[in-house]
């Protein structure tokens, strides 16, 4: 069973995967090639790299963790795509120490900007890795989702702290160094020279619904997935999403 068909994985990746798959399909048509060169920065164990390789694309994963890259190698082998997945140790701020500039049709930057010292530089590097007409898939933690989650947990002071903090952190114990609004991510993408193609809210409800309900109620996973897909593009829900996804496209 693929990651996208596992209930928990589905709730976390389905919306992004559908947007990304459509973008890759457009890139295939634009490039006139069946197989694209895809770069996944911070791709870890291959949540997106392996499914992309299953579509026939060549995927390079850059990640600072040797353990994650080892797991990626094993996962790719189990999926029968080891020949199309390459893992390289590195990070987005030192990206061109390990990969070439302008060598990729699509770049994934998922769960990376929260942890780098200079998010703008990270996005610029991701864009510099693109070929003409390439696409950038950017996924990062959303500010509003954290504020809502802390408030619903009864941590009202922490919710207000996250709202006021420049980095969107709710306190010293917050494990996420930085969060973004949809507007901030769109500005990073457009500031790096890309056209913002689409913005989606991810995990708008999934992290708020009790796990026991999702796991035990018949049809709940499918219904929740459909609801997530229905609200993902609606700007009104971007402000409460756990994550935000922005698709940027390079125009020739």
């Amino acid at each position: 069973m693929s990651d996208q068909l596992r209930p928990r994985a589905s709730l976390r990746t389905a919306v992004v995967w559908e947007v990304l798959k459509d973008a890759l399909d457009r890139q295939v048509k634009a490039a006139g090639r069946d197989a694209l060169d895809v770069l996944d920065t911070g791709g870890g164990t291959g949540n997106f790299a392996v499914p992309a390789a299953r579509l026939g694309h060549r995927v390079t994963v850059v990640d600072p963790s040797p353990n994650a890259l080892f797991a990626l190698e094993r996962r790719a082998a189990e999926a029968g795509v080891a020949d199309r997945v390459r893992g390289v140790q590195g990070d987005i701020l030192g990206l061109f120490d390990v990969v070439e500039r302008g060598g990729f049709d699509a770049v994934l930057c998922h769960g990376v900007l929260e942890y780098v010292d200079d998010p703008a530089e990270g996005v610029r590097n991701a864009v510099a890795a693109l070929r003409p007409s390439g696409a950038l898939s950017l996924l990062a933690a959303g500010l509003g989702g954290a504020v809502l989650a802390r408030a619903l947990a009864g941590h009202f002071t922490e919710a207000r702290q996250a709202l006021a903090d420049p980095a969107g952190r709710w306190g010293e114990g917050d494990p996420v160094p930085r969060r973004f609004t949809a507007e901030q991510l769109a500005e990073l993408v457009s500031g790096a020279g890309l056209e913002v193609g689409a913005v989606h809210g991810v995990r708008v409800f999934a992290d708020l619904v009790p796990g026991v309900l999702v796991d035990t109620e018949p049809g709940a996973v499918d219904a929740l997935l459909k609801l997530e897909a229905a609200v993902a593009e609606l700007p009104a829900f971007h402000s409460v999403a756990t994550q935000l996804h922005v698709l940027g496209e390079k125009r020739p």
Side-chain angles (χ1 to χ4, degrees), residues 125-186:
N125 282 354
V127 172
L130 288 172
R131 290 172 177 152
S133 301
L136 170 67
S137 176
L138 184 63
L139 181 68
L143 170 62
V147 173
L148 181 61
R150 301 316 289 172
L152 291 178
H155 304 300
F156 307 120
T157 299
E158 290 179 351
R160 186 162 52 85
Q161 170 66 19
L163 195 59
D165 186 71
R169 303 187 76 237
W170 47 256
E172 291 294 327
D174 192 338
V176 180
R178 187 182 291 104
R179 295 184 178 87
F180 301 87
T181 64
E183 292 76 17
Q184 286 171 334
L185 289 178

Side-chain angles (χ1 to χ4, degrees), residues 156-234:
F156 307 120
T157 299
E158 290 179 351
R160 186 162 52 85
Q161 170 66 19
L163 195 59
D165 186 71
R169 303 187 76 237
W170 47 256
E172 291 294 327
D174 192 338
V176 180
R178 187 182 291 104
R179 295 184 178 87
F180 301 87
T181 64
E183 292 76 17
Q184 286 171 334
L185 289 178
E187 286 174 8
L188 286 172
V189 170
S190 60
L194 297 188
E195 181 177 315
V196 177
V199 179
H200 292 84
V202 180
R203 289 156 60 190
V204 175
F205 303 110
D207 291 347
L208 303 176
V209 177
V212 64
L213 187 154
V214 177
D215 293 335
T216 61
E217 189 71 20
V221 170
D222 186 56
L224 183 52
L225 281 169
K226 290 178 179 176
L227 178 60
E228 290 280 352
V231 302
E233 289 189 73
L234 301 178

Side-chain angles (χ1 to χ4, degrees), residues 65-116:
S65 168
N67 290 336
L69 293 174
F70 177 76
L72 167 71
E73 182 179 351
R74 184 176 59 209
R75 188 177 195 169
E78 290 172 354
V81 295
D83 59 327
R84 295 196 292 274
V85 177
R86 178 173 72 105
V88 182
Q89 190 171 0
D91 61 59
I92 197 165
L93 296 186
L95 190 59
F96 302 114
D97 294 335
V98 293
V99 300
E100 63 177 309
R101 291 179 182 270
F104 299 91
D105 301 291
V107 174
L108 282 56
C109 184
H110 296 172
V112 172
L113 296 188
E114 299 94 324
Y115 301 95
V116 299

